Amino acid sequence: MDLRLYDTLTREKRPFQPLDPKNVRMYVCGPTVYDFAHIGNARPVVVFDVLFRLLRHIYGAEHVTYARNITDIDDKINARAAEEYPNLPLNEAIRLVTEKTECQFHEDVAALGCLPPTVEPRATEHIAEMKTLIERLIATGHAYVAEGHVLFSVPSMKDYGQLSKRPLDDMIAGARVEVAPYKRDPMDFVLWKPSKPGEPAWPSPAGINTAGRPGWHIECSAMSWKHLGETFDIHGGGIDLVFPHHENEVAQSRCAFHTPVMANYWMHNGFLQVEGAKMSKSEGNFFTIHDLLKDWPGEVLRFNMLRTHYRQPIDWTLQGLTECMKTLDRWYLADAPLPGDGGEGRYLDQEFVSALADDLNTPMALARLHSMYAEIRGPASGLAQIELKRKLKTTAQFVGLMCVDAKDWLTRAHGAPTADETKKIEALIDARNAARKAKNFKEADRIRDELKATGIELEDKKDGTTLWKVKR
Ligand SMILES: [Zn+2]
């Protein structure tokens, strides 16, 4: 399998070669847990889930390690905790906020069909590793202590800025917005800082005698080191993280370990906008995954996400969601049970996998599913039909689509009727089938029309069964 990935660092698509094919290692920056994740946050989770599945397919599930962190220490968390639980000690309030949010995040991304990563490290559980890195950086002259802070010295790294390739003037101008007086250089960034009263605090490194807490970037250098090693294969995240977050991760890790690279492939997904506009709470076009899941099945959200290549900006529209819903409805109507003999892999379409292996070309892969569906609608019949349907289902499932029971989909996806309604509908379908058997087609049609009037559509299958769905 010829896997090619686009690397942000070298700005080229090249063949993927793991450091160790028996342990392919990927790190992706995960959520800061203070509020419901929005649909833009879902993009890297879905994109790298597809890559995770592909890597597992190529190298074997047991040979892939995927680490996605939880950022559970952050100013936004502190602010939210104080606001939500004003009467609790801050540490207790923070624990409640982060636990609740982490739980919501797991529910949301599971509903989007994402597999759990191999490890999900939390920042606050890696303070020791962060302090070790910080002390190494100080010892080698890449970091210094100033007024209770530890700062990374950007001029100490000769080739700082390779990942984002931002002009130096831009970076300095950006850093100057708010230059702390204790910085030797405006671009230096915080590795450790003193905690304000009440904030989470740990004994500081480097002999600083006030308690403090880590800066943001150091956590990912520490967690990727702990779980994947000094150098690993793939580092991913949203394009907004390239600078400063990933640039600074690279600086910390490379200077601490004296390595030429932190990760061999840097992958970044593009921005997400909604109906052509930047998503923002003030514009009223801000959507959490949680909200969208009230209106749409998770597979529809996932499908809509994968229709755009991950490096392109995505325009999230109602029309797109509606189209995905209709497509999945058609595919589910073409559902065929798999033989269940453990050999389902033979139905996986190789052209589809090749499209994914070409830098995760999901639009091309989905186009392949569309043409497989078109084949089902074509002249093939009998056994060939069933084989085609199995191929569509197995291949769609490779990227986490068509994973629910077809009958469940066609009912639940369209607003599940109650158990009583379902009973009535099925009784009417039985009556209609009895009428058809007795060649009383007038009665059969009458029942079909009666159901149609209540929004139930029928589809008669070749094997004599009848599927039904609620029409939106
Ligand atoms: Zn990170």
Side-chain angles (χ1 to χ4, degrees), residues 108 191 193 317 364 414 460:
D108 287 348
L191 300 174
K193 58 186 172 184
T317 63
M364 195 190 270
H414 294 277
D460 296 317

Side-chain angles (χ1 to χ4, degrees), residues 71-379:
T71 296
D72 59 354
I73 166 124
D74 184 274
D75 287 336
K76 289 191 284 270
I77 297 173
N78 299 348
R80 176 59 57 95
E83 179 191 313
E84 210 165 306
Y85 304 100
N87 301 322
L88 286 181
L90 189 59
N91 273 318
E92 179 66 10
I94 287 171
R95 195 180 58 78
L96 290 175
V97 167
T98 54
E99 278 180 6
K100 180 177 73 180
T101 314
E102 190 182 318
C103 225
Q104 286 160 349
F105 175 76
H106 285 148
E107 275 176 27
D108 287 348
V109 298
L112 294 180
C114 297
L115 304 172
T118 322
V119 272
E120 209 169 21
R122 287 182 196 83
T124 55
E125 291 168 7
H126 295 76
I127 301 290
E129 288 81 0
M130 295 186 218
K131 282 159 71 170
T132 304
L133 283 182
I134 289 171
E135 297 200 324
R136 276 196 195 192
L137 290 169
I138 294 172
T140 49
H142 290 293
Y144 58 93
V145 176
E147 296 182 26
H149 295 69
V150 182
L151 291 126
F152 184 91
S153 165
V154 170
S156 78
M157 184 187 191
K158 291 288 163 281
D159 55 352
Y160 178 86
Q162 292 292 304
L163 183 67
S164 57
K165 294 186 178 56
R166 283 164 59 117
L168 191 63
D169 288 350
D170 268 20
M171 291 195 280
I172 295 173
R176 281 235 168 90
V177 175
E178 204 182 331
V179 182
Y182 46 80
K183 283 190 184 180
R184 288 184 195 162
D185 185 283
M187 279 168 56
D188 292 351
F189 58 89
V190 168
L191 300 174
W192 190 268
K193 58 186 172 184
S195 297
K196 296 189 189 103
E199 279 182 356
W202 291 266
S204 294
I208 299 169
N209 49 27
T210 49
R213 61 193 183 99
W216 171 32
H217 316 302
I218 193 71
E219 67 174 79
C220 288
S221 285
M223 289 185 272
S224 59
W225 173 39
K226 166 89 183 282
H227 298 281
L228 305 179
E230 293 181 359
T231 303
F232 49 94
D233 296 298
I234 299 166
H235 193 315
I239 188 90
D240 53 318
L241 294 181
V242 175
F243 186 86
H245 184 52
H246 288 168
E247 196 74 84
N248 291 349
E249 279 186 37
V250 170
Q252 296 160 163
S253 294
R254 283 190 47 211
C255 291
F257 306 125
H258 309 289
T259 43
V261 293
M262 177 183 186
N264 279 331
Y265 299 80
W266 285 85
M267 295 178 66
H268 294 98
N269 64 272
F271 288 113
L272 177 144
Q273 27 174 238
V274 173
E275 307 285 353
K278 189 172 190 290
M279 184 163 69
S280 83
K281 279 184 179 155
S282 58
E283 293 296 317
N285 66 349
F286 187 91
F287 296 103
T288 64
I289 307 171
H290 188 77
D291 283 338
L292 286 165
L293 284 170
K294 288 179 195 156
D295 293 333
W296 303 92
E299 282 193 10
V300 169
L301 306 182
R302 187 176 175 92
F303 196 131
N304 199 35
M305 200 68 91
L306 297 179
R307 292 207 305 174
T308 305
H309 186 258
Y310 77 93
R311 284 199 283 127
Q312 299 301 317
I314 189 171
D315 191 21
W316 191 264
T317 63
L318 184 61
Q319 193 196 334
L321 290 166
T322 310
E323 284 166 15
C324 292
M325 185 80 182
K326 282 186 182 152
T327 302
L328 281 169
D329 280 350
R330 283 195 289 269
W331 291 358
Y332 271 111
L333 281 168
D335 180 75
L338 298 174
D341 57 6
E344 280 79 9
R346 67 184 181 273
Y347 295 111
L348 180 62
D349 181 69
Q350 289 311 312
E351 243 181 87
F352 175 91
V353 181
S354 299
L356 290 181
D358 180 15
D359 193 32
L360 299 187
N361 193 337
T362 53
M364 195 190 270
L366 295 176
R368 183 68 199 128
L369 292 178
H370 281 288
S371 60
M372 287 161 71
Y373 175 73
E375 260 187 278
I376 294 171
R377 306 273 294 173

